[in-house]
Amino acid sequence: MPPASFTLCDDVRDARSPVVVAARRTPVGTAGRSLAAYDVTALSVPVLRALVSDLASDPADAAGHVPVDEVVLGNCMGPGGDPARVAALAAGLGLNVPGVTLDRQCGSGLEAIAQAATHVAVAGGVVLAGGVESASTAPTRLALLPDGRREPYDRARFAPDEYGDPGMGEAADALATARGITRERQDAYAARSHALAVAAQATGVFEPELVAVGAVKADERPRPGLDGARLARFRPAFTPDGTATAGNSCGISDGAAAVAVVDEATRAHLGLPGLAVRAVAAIGVDPRLPGLGPVPAVQAVLDVCGLSIADVGALEITEAFAAQVLASTDAWGLDPLGGPGEQVVCTQGGAIALGHPWGASGALLVVRLFSRMVRQDGPRYGVATCAVGGGQGVALLVERVG
């Protein structure tokens, strides 16, 4: 198995160890609805500003702000032109603050945080990193046909023809078949996601991490009372005999999420608790079954730190499809439906309930870990992981410090 691309375990921690000390996100809106009027810049700016405010010794004193060295944002379907740099300028971070935008599809936000951690480990400083997606304002793209005509297309290729280039929904159906994951289990997991997210909303769990966008202050997708009986009425969404439906899959969404990554010396100076980034990994898998990507990626970050899945007290995985979540949790021996893993995996809901703003979703996982582990004084170790179209898995392992 390839090694993790970056590690900072017990024997190599120092003043430049990267630590997440602030984490914010917008509400997640269903495409075409509550956030439809906001492009990627308008979604990113309030999150970046909130992070800067969180780092300030006195939020009312601009001179007390910690200077930002870099902005890294993931984005999949946006306008191009380096949205991270545009957002950094629009947020008023200063002309000297650079920005870079990257694309690892729905792992983009998590990859951005991994790159921020690497930057801090090498050079120290403060990096704001995360992701943003506005499916509502994404430009129409045109594919060139063999006869020279052009026509709109929904997505770029995930893999060459010899791998079949399946869409993520078709791949989720194939994975469910390959791993024997029933429709009933998928619906039960989807019902769990909505129930947990609704409960978290009702008790104000999300409020400390949320940044309002205009009048939008809350996630719009979680649905109360969405049980297995109601979910069973949904028809297959991707293949005629498939088990992935609109009910047990994520929604196409708009939103932004980001974190502040600083070196350990800066964290100690600020006196903030945080999540020390101990390892990150990105690993390729069969493009036909991309939903299995988290399995080797998580194993890689555990191995380099000498840990096992039993040491992980909080695990956030992008719930693009219930089938891919269950395939991964089965491989780890974690059952989120009443067994080991119920108090570990996405315990306040995930993308099935909240939505999946592609470029932002990986960063949203780390925001959720920050809330569970730091704001709520949670477990020592946590993992964020996601499956990526084209057959990749990304994982990040963090430890609560301070």
Side-chain angles (χ1 to χ4, degrees):
M1 179 179 294
S5 56
F6 168 78
T7 63
L8 269 177
C9 296
D10 288 348
D11 57 339
V12 288
R13 300 179 189 180
D14 58 23
R16 284 187 177 172
S17 296
V19 188
V20 175
V21 294
R24 294 297 198 105
R25 68 177 180 91
T26 68
V28 179
T30 300
R33 297 179 62 180
S34 64
L35 296 175
Y38 299 92
D39 64 10
V40 292
T41 301
L43 291 172
S44 302
V45 164
V47 175
L48 298 180
R49 288 176 174 166
L51 291 174
V52 170
S53 180
D54 288 347
L55 294 178
S57 56
D58 178 359
D61 177 13
H65 289 174
V66 176
V68 174
D69 297 289
E70 173 76 284
V71 174
V72 186
L73 292 179
N75 180 249
C76 297
M77 299 293 288
D82 196 0
R85 171 61 172 168
V86 178
L89 290 168
L93 301 186
L95 295 177
N96 63 322
V97 178
V100 62
T101 305
L102 57 84
D103 180 1
R104 199 191 283 273
Q105 291 297 286
C106 50
S108 298
L110 195 53
E111 178 64 28
I113 296 172
Q115 291 201 17
T118 304
H119 180 288
V120 168
V122 172
V126 179
V127 181
L128 307 185
V132 60
E133 203 71 57
S134 174
S136 296
T137 67
T140 299
R141 300 165 187 249
L142 300 176
L144 180 63
L145 302 179
D147 62 6
R149 292 182 298 111
R150 292 184 178 273
E151 67 176 16
Y153 73 100
D154 293 330
R155 65 169 178 87
R157 298 188 64 83
F158 290 146
D161 287 339
E162 57 265 33
Y163 293 97
D165 190 30
M168 293 297 281
E170 292 83 0
D173 278 336
L175 181 57
T177 299
R179 294 303 171 101
I181 300 169
T182 65
R183 166 71 183 270
E184 290 73 22
R185 285 186 71 202
Q186 294 174 59
D187 287 348
Y189 187 86
R192 172 187 186 266
S193 184
H194 280 274
L196 291 172
V198 167
Q201 277 187 324
T203 55
V205 166
F206 296 144
E207 290 180 8
E209 68 196 38
L210 286 170
V211 181
V213 180
V216 183
K217 299 180 180 180
D219 304 304
E220 71 171 286
R221 181 175 165 83
R223 294 289 181 267
L226 193 60
D227 58 16
R230 292 179 64 187
L231 287 164
R233 301 171 189 167
F234 285 80
R235 296 180 178 180
F238 304 101
T239 59
D241 298 320
T243 52
T245 71
N248 60 37
S249 306
C250 64
I252 298 173
S253 307
D254 305 325
V259 304
V261 184
V262 306
D263 56 79
E264 169 57 25
T266 298
R267 183 206 70 78
H269 173 73
L270 293 170
L272 296 173
L275 299 177
V277 179
R278 298 306 187 203
V280 300
I283 293 180
V285 297
D286 187 343
R288 300 176 191 88
L289 298 174
L292 291 177
V295 177
V298 169
Q299 193 61 53
V301 296
L302 293 174
D303 286 348
V304 295
C305 287
L307 300 175
S308 73
I309 196 68
D311 295 308
V312 177
L315 192 151
E316 292 288 329
I317 181 171
T318 302
E319 293 178 351
F321 304 92
Q324 73 179 42
V325 175
L326 292 169
S328 293
T329 56
D330 286 353
W332 296 320
L334 296 175
D335 180 5
L337 298 173
E342 185 176 26
Q343 301 303 316
V344 176
V345 178
C346 297
T347 57
Q348 292 157 359
I352 289 174
L354 297 174
H356 183 10
W358 304 301
S361 290
L364 200 153
L365 301 176
V366 183
V367 174
R368 298 272 49 257
L369 283 181
F370 191 88
S371 285
R372 290 175 62 185
M373 298 172 67
V374 177
R375 293 188 174 106
Q376 298 160 28
D377 194 24
R380 177 179 178 183
Y381 290 111
V383 168
T385 187
C386 54
V388 180
Q392 299 181 81
V394 184
L396 180 144
L397 187 148
V398 294
E399 179 182 6
R400 179 166 53 88
V401 295

